[in-house]
Amino acid sequence: MTDWQPSARIDALRRRGEVLGAIRRFFAEKAVLEVEAPVLSTGATPAPYLESFRTRYSGAGGGRDLYLHTSPEFSLKRLLAAGSGPVYSLGKVFRQGEAGRVHNPEFTMLEWYRPGWDHHRLMNEVEALVREVAPGLPEGERLTYQALFERYAGLDPHRAGIDELRSAAAGPDLPDMGDDRDGWLDLLLTHRIEPRLDPAVPTFVYDYPASQAALAKVRGGEPPVAERFELYCGGMELANGFHELQDAAEQRRRFEQELASRRAAGLAQVPIDERFLAALEH
């Protein structure tokens, strides 16, 4: 064996250490508590676009399946329900099958929660943190999901039909998403719009279609929108945030819908995190 050298450059590791230290100082100054989320769980995310690593625990009781977490979200929300106040986690998460220029099956994730804040106030803090670790960035821009699509794709993402979306996304480099409306919107965002964003300018996109709410509250109106955002910077999606859903019954309904999508796609069924749903109910 000759391939023993670490793949990370020493200067990159030093810079990484500086960034991690800056993140911890940022939250310490704001009295946000750092916690270490458990990496193994009896439940897994049912989201069809995420796949958990599964491992077998062979201890007392005959053993059982456990899952490496794809994010510390459910654990941190249980802490919030127990009265922890604002918390953050800075540690490893794991996602099966993810590999590429900006993806890895094991990576470090920062996740934090601010009880009582909406997604607009959280965007302010995300921007402040990014400027703390990357000073000198130009002034950022904030666009609604609708304004983003109108500017870069020339269509209203809430009202455009399948044929209009297919025409806007046309090209040999993209698959045909059939009647999957959100699939077409995702393709347009990642393949037609993201490449046109200035990588030097932090760009927040917020108020997504209600069908893409995930774990966010949906605000009524015409059209209704999910109170969530994503931050693009450096040519990639750097962060996403939510005004968090707190309705346990609605969350269970969304989980069951995601499990149905997994079945339809031939993906493995996973156990729902019942402790998380119980915490939401509390």
Side-chain angles (χ1 to χ4, degrees), residues 244-279:
E244 299 287 344
L245 178 68
Q246 297 172 40
D247 183 329
E250 171 62 15
Q251 186 64 76
R252 183 179 293 278
R253 185 194 70 79
R254 293 187 192 179
F255 279 167
E256 291 172 348
Q257 189 175 52
E258 287 179 325
L259 286 173
S261 295
R262 291 183 69 88
R263 280 193 297 273
L267 300 173
Q269 294 294 285
V270 295
I272 289 175
D273 192 329
E274 292 292 345
R275 290 187 179 91
F276 165 58
L277 290 175

Side-chain angles (χ1 to χ4, degrees), residues 114-275:
R114 286 294 207 164
W117 289 23
D118 65 10
H119 59 306
H120 291 284
R121 190 174 178 187
L122 189 58
M123 276 191 276
N124 294 339
E125 187 163 70
V126 171
E127 184 166 10
L129 174 61
V130 170
R131 294 190 181 283
E132 182 73 20
V133 299
L137 285 173
E139 184 176 351
E141 185 174 25
R142 298 188 184 186
L143 296 167
T144 65
Y145 188 90
Q146 179 172 341
L148 181 81
F149 272 75
E150 288 175 344
R151 176 187 294 183
Y152 292 108
L155 55 82
D156 182 340
H158 300 291
R159 296 177 176 83
I162 293 293
D163 289 342
E164 188 176 356
L165 296 175
R166 179 184 283 109
S167 177
D173 56 326
L174 298 183
D176 190 315
M177 302 305 294
D179 293 329
D180 182 357
R181 197 168 187 285
D182 282 318
W184 283 114
L185 289 172
D186 285 342
L187 281 180
L188 278 168
L189 180 60
T190 57
H191 288 73
R192 297 290 183 259
I193 294 176
E194 282 184 28
R196 298 180 63 187
L197 299 177
D198 186 339
V201 177
T203 303
F204 285 92
V205 180
Y206 65 96
D207 285 357
Y208 278 63
S211 57
Q212 299 180 27
L215 296 144
K217 288 185 176 180
V218 173
R219 187 175 73 247
E222 186 50 48
V225 293
E227 295 188 330
R228 54 172 290 218
F229 67 85
E230 293 187 354
L231 168 62
Y232 293 88
C233 192
M236 69 182 75
E237 178 202 336
L238 188 63
N240 68 84
F242 305 87
H243 190 183
E244 299 287 344
L245 178 68
Q246 297 172 40
D247 183 329
E250 171 62 15
Q251 186 64 76
R252 183 179 293 278
R253 185 194 70 79
R254 293 187 192 179
F255 279 167
E256 291 172 348
Q257 189 175 52
E258 287 179 325
L259 286 173
S261 295
R262 291 183 69 88
R263 280 193 297 273
L267 300 173
Q269 294 294 285
V270 295
I272 289 175
D273 192 329
E274 292 292 345
R275 290 187 179 91

Side-chain angles (χ1 to χ4, degrees), residues 29 31 40 53 62 67-68 108 209 223 228 269:
E29 291 170 359
L40 286 172
F53 282 94
Y67 298 84
L68 293 173
T108 300
R228 54 172 290 218
Q269 294 294 285

Side-chain angles (χ1 to χ4, degrees), residues 77-87 282:
K77 286 183 176 178
R78 286 171 59 195
L79 282 174
L80 294 173
S84 66
V87 293
H282 173 79

